[in-house]
Amino acid sequence: MGRRFGWLWAAYAVSTFGTWLAFDAFAMIAILVLHAGSAEVSLLAAVGLAVGAAVAVPLGPWVEFCRKRPVMIAMDLARFAAVMSIPAAFALGWLTFAQLLVVSVIVAAADIAFRAASGAYLKALVRPEDLLVANGRFESTTWTATALGPPLGGAAIGMFGPVATVAADAVSYLLSAVGIRAIGGREPRPPRTDAPRLRAGDLLDGWRYILTHPTLRPLFLNTILVNGLIMATSPLLAVLMLGHLGFAPWQYGLAFAVPCVGGLIGSRMAPRLVARFGQRQVMLTAGALRACWLLGLVFVRPGAAGLMLVMAVELGLITCMGVFNPVFATYRLDQTGTDRVARTLSAWSVTSKATTATLTGLWGLLAGITSPRIAIAVAGLLILTTPLLLPRHRHAPSRTLRRVTLVRRVDG
C-alpha cells in the first residue's frame, strides 16, 4: 500500500508498543511511589477515562475541519509532554497524585482526538479496497503489542521501577510524531462550513449521524456495551485470580499474554473470510461469537486447570475480536461520509470511554456488595444479549464491497 502507509503503520506500532509496555504503570506508581489505596487507584482509572472523554467532546468537530496529520502530530507531542512530566517530577521529588490524575485526563482526551484524525486520514490515504487489509494490520499490531508489552514492561518495572516504563511510553509518542511527520505529501485542507465558528449543535453531529444511521446505530450500541462489559470485568478477574485463588502475578500475566495469538490469527483470517462469506456475514457471526466467552470465567478454579480455563476462554474471545474488529472498523469508515469521519469516530470514542468508566465503577460496586465471581457472572449473562443489537436487516452493500467486487471483475 505504499511508503506513506508504511510510515503510518510504523508510527502506530511504536506508539502501541509503548502504551502496552507501560500498561498499569500509573496504578503501580500510585501504589508503590505515592502509597495510594484501592479507592484512589480506582479513582485514577475512572477519572482519566470519564473526564478525558468529556474534555474531548469539542475536539471532534474541530478535528473535522483541520488537516489530519498536523492534528495527529500535535496530539502525539501533547501526550509526550504530559507523560514525560511524570518521570521529571519524580526525579525532582515533586510527583503528586493530582498530577497523575491530570496526566491521565490529558492522555485520554488526546487519544480520542488522535484516533478521530487517524481514522479520517487512513480513509483518505488508502484505496477503499485496501481498507480491510490496513485495519487488519493495525489489529494484528495491537494484539502483538498486547502479548509482548506487559511481560516486557513487568520485567522493566522489576529492574528499573514503574517510572522508567512511563518514560519509554512518552518516548514512543515522540517517535510516533516523527513517523507521521515522515509520511510527507500534501494534505488538502478540508472545506469549511458557512458557519463562522463552532456552534453548540455541532458538538452533537457525530452522535446525530450514528443514531440516525440504520446499521451504525445497532453496531454502536453493540460495540459500546460489549467492550464496556469486558473491560469492567478485567479488574474483578484480577482480584479473583491474584487475591481469592492465589495465582502468582506471572501466571496472571501468562493467562492473558498467550491468548493474544488469537488476535493475530483472527486479524489475518478476516480478509480471507470476507472474500469467501461476505462482509456482513463475517461481521454478524464474529460479533455474535465474541459474546459467548465471558461467562466461562465464572468457573475458574485454583491450579493448572483454572489457568488453562482462563487461557482457553481468552483465546476464543480474542480470536473472535481479531476477526470482528478490522471488519467492523472498515465497515464503519465505509459507511461514514468523508466530511464527517472525525466527528463520528470522536463521538464513538467518547461514548466508549465514558461507558467503560461507568460500567467499571458499577461492577466494582456490585463486586463489593456480592463477590467478584457473581459480578463476572452478571456481566457474562448480560453480554449474551448483545448479539440482539447487531443489525439484522440487509441494507445496500457497502461502497468498499462494491468497489472490491468491481475490481475483481475487471481483473478477471
Side-chain angles (χ1 to χ4, degrees), residues 72-392:
M72 294 159 66
I73 294 171
M75 294 303 105
D76 270 337
L77 294 178
R79 290 185 287 185
F80 164 73
V83 175
M84 187 57 81
S85 72
I86 293 176
F90 174 78
L92 296 172
W94 296 344
L95 185 62
T96 64
F97 184 77
Q99 181 180 354
L100 288 181
L101 282 175
V102 171
V103 171
S104 66
V105 168
I106 293 173
V107 170
D111 180 67
I112 291 173
F114 182 92
R115 289 176 181 272
S118 63
Y121 185 72
L122 178 66
K123 181 170 182 174
L125 179 67
V126 175
R127 295 181 305 172
E129 57 269 25
D130 290 333
L131 265 179
L132 179 57
V133 176
N135 282 313
R137 291 181 181 179
F138 288 141
E139 185 73 11
S140 64
T141 301
T142 297
W143 290 115
T144 302
T146 306
L148 299 179
L152 293 176
I157 289 172
M159 291 186 290
F160 307 112
V163 176
T165 60
V166 170
D169 185 25
V171 171
S172 75
Y173 292 127
L174 182 61
L175 293 177
S176 174
V178 172
I180 294 170
R181 177 69 178 83
I183 292 175
R186 184 172 181 82
E187 181 184 356
R189 180 180 293 276
R192 283 196 168 273
T193 61
D194 296 332
R197 60 173 62 88
L198 185 66
R199 299 167 297 179
D202 296 334
L203 303 180
L204 303 178
D205 277 349
W207 285 279
R208 191 178 296 115
Y209 181 76
I210 293 169
L211 296 177
T212 56
H213 194 284
T215 53
L216 288 184
R217 180 178 62 252
L219 279 173
F220 176 71
L221 299 174
N222 174 271
T223 55
I224 295 300
L225 187 55
V226 169
N227 294 339
L229 289 171
I230 291 173
M231 295 302 296
T233 58
S234 180
L236 305 183
L237 186 60
V239 172
L240 181 63
M241 293 182 66
L242 298 173
H244 298 187
L245 301 180
F247 285 98
W250 69 267
Q251 292 175 310
Y252 176 76
L254 187 68
F256 294 96
V258 172
C260 289
V261 69
L264 293 174
I265 295 171
S267 60
R268 295 297 298 271
M269 289 171 56
R272 296 181 177 90
L273 291 174
V274 168
R276 181 169 182 178
F277 300 105
Q279 184 187 52
R280 178 179 178 275
Q281 188 60 45
V282 171
M283 187 167 60
L284 292 180
T285 303
L289 289 176
R290 82 197 201 285
C292 300
W293 299 92
L294 191 61
L295 192 59
L297 297 175
V298 174
F299 305 102
V300 62
R301 291 290 184 268
L307 184 63
M308 294 301 296
L309 174 62
V310 174
M311 293 174 68
V313 170
E314 292 294 327
L315 178 64
L317 173 63
I318 291 173
T319 302
C320 293
M321 292 176 67
V323 174
F324 175 83
N325 288 348
V327 179
F328 153 71
T330 301
Y331 180 85
R332 181 175 59 181
L333 283 177
D334 188 60
Q335 292 296 314
T336 306
T338 304
D339 61 337
R340 60 178 68 248
V341 172
R343 282 172 286 180
T344 301
L345 296 184
S346 177
W348 211 295
S349 295
V350 166
T351 308
S352 179
K353 289 183 181 294
T355 303
T356 297
T358 302
L359 292 181
T360 299
L362 289 176
W363 255 256
L365 180 62
L366 177 61
I369 296 173
T370 57
S371 71
R373 197 183 295 273
I374 291 177
I376 293 172
V378 172
L381 291 172
L382 184 58
I383 204 172
L384 288 175
T385 66
T386 58
L388 298 175
L389 296 173
L390 290 168
R392 294 295 172 185

